[in-house]
Amino acid sequence: MVAFGKRLKERQIQEWQGYYINYKLMKKKVKQYAHQIEVGTLDRPRVLKNFSRMLDNQIEKIVLFLLEQQGLLASKLTKLREQHDALEEHPPISKITELREAYRGAGNDLLKLLYFVEMNAIGLRKILKKFDKRFRYRFTDYYVKTRANHPYSQLQQVFKHVGLGAVVGAVSRNLHELQDRQGSYLSIYDSPSLPLQDPVVDSINAAVDRLTHSTNSLNFMAQHALIMQEELPAPVEQRIDEEKYHFMSLLLNLANTFLYMVNTYIIVPTADNYSMSLGAAATVCGIVIGAMAVAQVFSSVYFSAWSNRSYFRPLIFSSIVLFMGNALYALAYDLNSLTVLLLGRLFCGFGSARAVNRRYISDCVPLKFRMQASAGFVSASALGMACGPALAGILQTNFKIYKLTFNDVTLPGWVMAVAWLVYLVWLWFSFKEPSRDFDENNSPHASNGEKAEKSKLEKGLKQPLLITSEEKKEDDEDPEADGSEEDREDSHRPATSMVSAYRLLTPSIKVQLLIYFMLKYAMEILLSESSVVTTYYFNWSTSTVAIFLACLGLTVLPVNIVVGSYISNMFEDRQILLASEIVVCVGILLSFHIIIPYSVHQYVCSGLIMFVSAEVLEGVNLSLLSRVMSSRLSRGTYNGGLLSTEAGTIARVIADATITIAGFFGQSQLLNTTLLPSLVICVVSIVATCCTYNSLY
């Protein structure tokens, strides 16, 4: 892999070379300081003082040049403003066009300055991380805390681009005024929601969004979706053509997400009754529910591979298979066949197109809409999770048409079969297959290196002090190592198998996938055995179970909004992560039936604590994963989204199998027997998080 120092030099604007952070010199200094401490010629306090002074000098050089360029831009905009004011009331079109092009030129100059800030920000972040790693000292915390909020801070100029907002506003406002508004007297201040159709302004806004990337509810939910993407925009000629962006196709993908989640959870309140009506034990519901997850383990891989070539055909196949699966599920009652029932659920799992849904958003939605689309993916999933059990609670009727029975256990299958048939017709007439001007890896061969460079560049701005997996690999490499062109291309190619994808995972990512496995296991145990447990202890009806599960599902969106808008702004992600794991563990402990009579209050409260804390944990965990996942896992078949999906799906399979196996010990032992593995896995994940707390996040 090509070292960051070499890549930084290659991507610098030539005439500004002397004003970038001298990463190569600082890296050599870090090695020199380490050697001097080893031989005893320098003590640690002296090293900290010298390195702090060097960083201050580098930042001062960057900031003074930044201010100088801002001044030049301001002067240019002032002259353009004078020309703008001098225009007649009805000037010739040629004058307006000329002035507009001049403002666009100023916008391009501004873009160069924004990229200059990006390059220096990631260089600063990487050298701070390197110092921490070499000296086993939290120097980053000290340096940022002492500089960021100081009244004379120059660090803010780099990370918060102080002053550039006024320049951005001047360019945007004047281009807006020069645009033909068909007689409108509104300005951008009167109607900020009016889009300005100008590619330069769009590029500026995208760059500013990256620089000002902060945690809010929309961004938090978007990262919750773990839609892997190249963080920096591709070169202009490679960007997704917004004119080709098809909103209806995006809506169809979100509808597929919603319907699949409804399909997953609509049978949960009645699965135990269905099993018993076919002569099986109530705890066989674990196999019935889990059969869908078993099939999804395999379907995720082939759908991810299929999405390299098409989106329309996988969605058509998914709809047909899900229609057949739900029809088989409903027919199993009249056929009196548990085999047909399980086969129907397997078919439903084989129709899981969530990998396609994620991939469509990351590949075919323009950057400026991708955050909203990703948040929509999470919202559709949460809404489906709530609507599934609620719908099951409504379908409490019993009648026959010819030889087909329609009752509380078969109606979920019939309703979903009709829903998928309607969706299939809608999909056939409304979906637009996006053009494919790129190869299987969703990246032109000639620009693999450039995209990876940009991916790392923006990642530095999204979380200025976050350690990435790619950086871990680069730390052990010589900055002067050039490497062949072929080696460089190999270092940016996507993973070609699950094994190669696994090898790209750093210890921190493995811990986070373990956490994801744990929370999915705990949630599946809670949800899948709810009908059996509540019937045994409280004699709840199907409607009551459905209401309980629907209420749990309805907490997903509010929890994400609260965490994204408030909690994540008050605490570090790793603090929220560890606290959420502990609360999940508390919820599991409170769920055990030990001595006192098991009450509804104990079950509901402990279940709510476990579920809500698991939701918080899932959001924070996936948010961190989306930042630290290798850029090689952002595209191709074996991407980061697929890895997380497989981890969660396998957890669900094991959880559902645990419920069925625990049923052999009797329903009286079911609760404690299934909670025990949840507790063990949760404790292991907490220990793993504590062991890596200081070094991984």
Side-chain angles (χ1 to χ4, degrees):
M1 180 176 287
V2 182
F4 174 76
K6 182 175 177 64
R7 301 202 311 273
L8 176 62
K9 186 176 181 180
E10 289 173 351
R11 294 181 58 83
Q12 288 175 356
I13 300 170
Q14 295 303 312
E15 60 268 28
W16 293 356
Q17 271 194 346
Y19 302 100
Y20 284 87
I21 183 172
N22 196 333
Y23 181 82
K24 184 176 179 180
L25 171 65
M26 299 190 75
K27 187 173 180 180
K28 286 183 177 179
K29 278 290 185 182
V30 170
K31 291 182 178 179
Q32 181 183 328
Y33 288 146
H35 176 70
Q36 289 175 331
I37 287 179
E38 285 178 9
V39 299
T41 56
L42 268 184
D43 57 8
R44 186 180 292 267
R46 186 70 180 176
V47 167
L48 296 178
K49 181 179 179 181
N50 290 347
F51 192 68
S52 297
R53 183 182 298 139
M54 184 184 297
L55 275 176
D56 291 339
N57 291 338
Q58 289 288 319
I59 293 172
E60 184 176 271
K61 174 185 69 175
I62 296 165
V63 168
L64 291 178
F65 178 75
L66 178 62
L67 293 174
E68 179 186 344
Q69 293 301 311
Q70 283 181 270
L72 293 175
L73 261 177
S75 299
K76 186 174 183 178
L77 289 170
T78 300
K79 292 177 182 177
L80 290 176
R81 180 73 253 176
E82 292 172 357
Q83 296 176 32
H84 194 172
D85 291 340
L87 287 177
E88 303 170 7
E89 186 174 346
H90 300 289
I93 297 297
S94 60
K95 287 286 185 182
I96 295 179
T97 303
E98 182 181 334
L99 190 56
R100 187 184 297 158
E101 289 304 315
Y103 271 112
R104 283 176 179 158
N108 285 323
D109 291 341
L110 176 58
L111 271 176
K112 288 169 60 178
L113 198 56
L114 290 170
Y115 288 134
F116 171 80
V117 177
E118 284 182 302
M119 294 293 287
N120 284 291
I122 191 171
L124 177 60
R125 175 174 59 84
K126 286 172 69 66
I127 200 65
L128 283 168
K129 188 268 299 186
K130 191 173 292 295
F131 188 93
D132 284 355
K133 183 177 181 181
R134 179 59 65 93
F135 294 97
R136 306 294 178 186
Y137 181 75
R138 302 301 298 277
F139 175 76
T140 296
D141 287 353
Y142 155 75
Y143 189 81
V144 173
K145 286 178 181 177
T146 54
R147 267 70 172 175
N149 297 317
H150 194 277
Y152 305 133
S153 172
Q154 292 176 320
L155 188 63
Q156 289 190 32
Q157 293 278 352
V158 178
F159 284 128
K160 298 187 179 179
H161 54 89
V162 178
L164 283 175
V167 183
V168 173
V171 173
S172 302
R173 185 179 66 83
N174 283 282
L175 279 173
H176 184 278
E177 289 183 3
L178 291 168
Q179 187 182 52
D180 181 13
R181 304 302 296 178
Q182 298 181 342
S184 173
Y185 294 96
L186 296 177
S187 72
I188 59 172
Y189 304 112
D190 297 317
S191 187
S193 61
L194 279 176
L196 175 56
Q197 303 297 330
D198 195 290
V200 172
V201 174
D202 289 342
S203 298
I204 291 172
N205 288 337
V208 171
D209 285 344
R210 293 193 306 273
L211 282 168
T212 57
H213 184 87
S214 60
T215 305
N216 53 42
S217 57
L218 182 62
N219 176 48
F220 186 83
M221 289 168 61
Q223 290 176 326
H224 195 158
L226 198 63
I227 292 171
M228 304 303 296
Q229 54 186 283
E230 300 289 346
E231 287 84 3
L232 279 184
V236 175
E237 64 272 12
Q238 296 173 10
R239 288 181 195 148
I240 297 168
D241 188 346
E242 292 181 12
E243 293 181 2
K244 295 180 181 178
Y245 160 61
H246 194 233
F247 175 75
M248 183 58 70
S249 298
L250 172 62
L251 191 61
L252 281 161
N253 268 277
L254 297 180
N256 184 282
T257 300
F258 169 77
L259 285 176
Y260 187 79
M261 292 302 290
V262 172
N263 212 147
T264 301
Y265 290 100
I266 193 172
I267 72 155
V268 173
T270 58
D272 57 336
N273 291 336
Y274 207 161
S275 300
M276 289 189 292
S277 69
L278 298 178
T283 50
V284 173
C285 70
I287 293 180
V288 175
I289 296 170
M292 194 170 178
V294 170
Q296 191 178 343
V297 171
F298 303 99
S299 67
S300 296
V301 178
Y302 68 72
F303 271 115
S304 183
W306 202 350
S307 65
N308 289 325
R309 294 176 292 277
S310 173
Y311 299 103
F312 178 64
R313 288 191 290 273
L315 290 175
I316 289 289
F317 176 78
S318 166
S319 304
I320 294 172
V321 172
L322 281 159
F323 167 76
M324 294 171 59
N326 283 287
L328 286 172
Y329 180 86
L331 287 170
Y333 185 86
D334 292 307
L335 296 174
N336 194 31
S337 172
L338 185 63
T339 303
V340 174
L341 182 71
L342 294 175
L343 190 62
R345 288 297 286 178
L346 283 171
F347 266 66
C348 290
F350 284 127
S352 170
R354 286 175 69 79
V356 180
N357 304 144
R358 279 194 179 102
R359 188 74 174 273
Y360 184 87
I361 293 174
S362 66
D363 289 354
C364 304
V365 177
L367 186 63
K368 68 178 183 179
F369 301 128
R370 200 169 298 158
M371 185 71 73
Q372 292 91 329
S374 301
F377 178 87
V378 175
S379 301
S381 299
L383 191 59
M385 185 180 180
C387 287
L391 192 58
I394 295 172
L395 301 175
Q396 299 297 304
T397 186
N398 193 344
F399 62 93
K400 272 198 170 190
I401 298 179
Y402 298 108
K403 294 183 179 180
L404 298 179
T405 303
F406 297 85
N407 56 23
D408 59 332
V409 296
T410 63
L411 274 172
W414 291 122
V415 168
M416 291 312 303
V418 172
W420 284 113
L421 188 60
V422 172
Y423 175 80
L424 179 61
V425 175
W426 180 25
L427 180 72
W428 184 267
F429 289 103
S430 301
F431 191 87
K432 180 181 178 182
E433 182 76 86
S435 59
R436 294 248 169 194
D437 299 327
F438 40 82
D439 66 10
E440 181 180 356
N441 297 332
N442 296 333
S443 175
H445 182 72
S447 63
N448 279 345
E450 186 175 352
K451 282 193 174 184
E453 308 286 349
K454 290 185 175 185
S455 173
K456 293 177 183 62
L457 190 75
E458 186 199 9
K459 201 174 287 183
L461 293 168
K462 282 192 172 183
Q463 185 70 17
L465 303 176
L466 191 67
I467 299 173
T468 70
S469 59
E470 291 297 306
E471 291 166 4
K472 291 177 184 293
K473 294 179 182 177
E474 292 171 1
D475 283 339
D476 300 326
E477 298 180 5
D478 186 356
E480 283 77 36
D482 291 342
S484 66
E485 186 68 27
E486 185 178 348
D487 291 337
R488 268 181 276 180
E489 289 181 3
D490 288 341
S491 69
H492 299 306
R493 285 175 182 161
T496 56
S497 67
M498 275 293 185
V499 175
S500 61
Y502 182 79
R503 287 173 181 166
L504 292 173
L505 301 181
T506 61
S508 64
I509 297 177
K510 290 176 182 176
V511 170
Q512 287 173 269
L513 288 177
L514 171 64
I515 293 171
Y516 192 61
F517 178 93
M518 177 273 292
L519 67 91
K520 283 297 182 183
Y521 183 93
M523 290 172 69
E524 188 72 8
I525 288 290
L526 172 66
L527 298 174
S528 295
E529 71 176 11
S530 58
S531 58
V532 180
V533 170
T534 54
T535 300
Y536 178 79
Y537 284 105
F538 318 125
N539 200 29
W540 278 6
S541 64
T542 300
S543 297
T544 308
V545 176
I547 292 172
F548 171 68
L549 294 176
C551 289
L552 287 180
L554 288 173
T555 63
V556 175
L557 286 180
V559 166
N560 276 291
I561 291 172
V562 170
V563 174
S565 299
Y566 303 104
I567 297 178
S568 61
N569 291 326
M570 294 186 288
F571 303 98
E572 295 179 20
D573 281 353
R574 60 180 180 175
Q575 294 174 327
I576 303 173
L577 191 80
L578 183 57
S580 300
E581 286 183 88
I582 294 171
V583 177
V584 169
C585 188
V586 170
I588 294 172
L589 286 170
L590 292 175
S591 299
F592 277 94
H593 179 207
I594 303 176
I595 301 174
I596 60 174
Y598 205 58
S599 66
V600 173
H601 296 295
Q602 181 184 350
Y603 178 76
V604 171
C605 291
S606 60
L608 191 62
I609 291 171
M610 188 194 312
F611 188 85
V612 170
S613 55
E615 277 299 321
V616 174
L617 180 59
E618 181 176 6
V620 176
N621 192 49
L622 291 184
S623 175
L624 282 170
L625 267 176
S626 70
R627 300 176 198 166
V628 302
M629 197 73 83
S630 166
S631 63
R632 292 178 64 187
L633 293 173
S634 66
R635 56 192 184 275
T637 300
Y638 302 96
N639 52 62
L642 176 64
L643 290 179
S644 64
T645 299
E646 292 293 83
T649 304
I650 291 171
R652 290 172 52 207
V653 170
I654 296 174
D656 290 324
T658 303
I659 294 172
T660 300
I661 293 170
F664 289 106
F665 300 103
Q667 291 191 27
S668 61
Q669 300 298 318
L670 176 66
L671 184 65
N672 290 347
T673 306
T674 53
L675 286 175
L676 190 58
S678 299
L679 181 62
V680 172
I681 299 171
C682 187
V683 171
V684 170
S685 72
I686 291 173
V687 172
T689 304
C690 291
C691 291
T692 59
Y693 185 81
N694 290 324
S695 60
L696 298 178
Y697 301 106

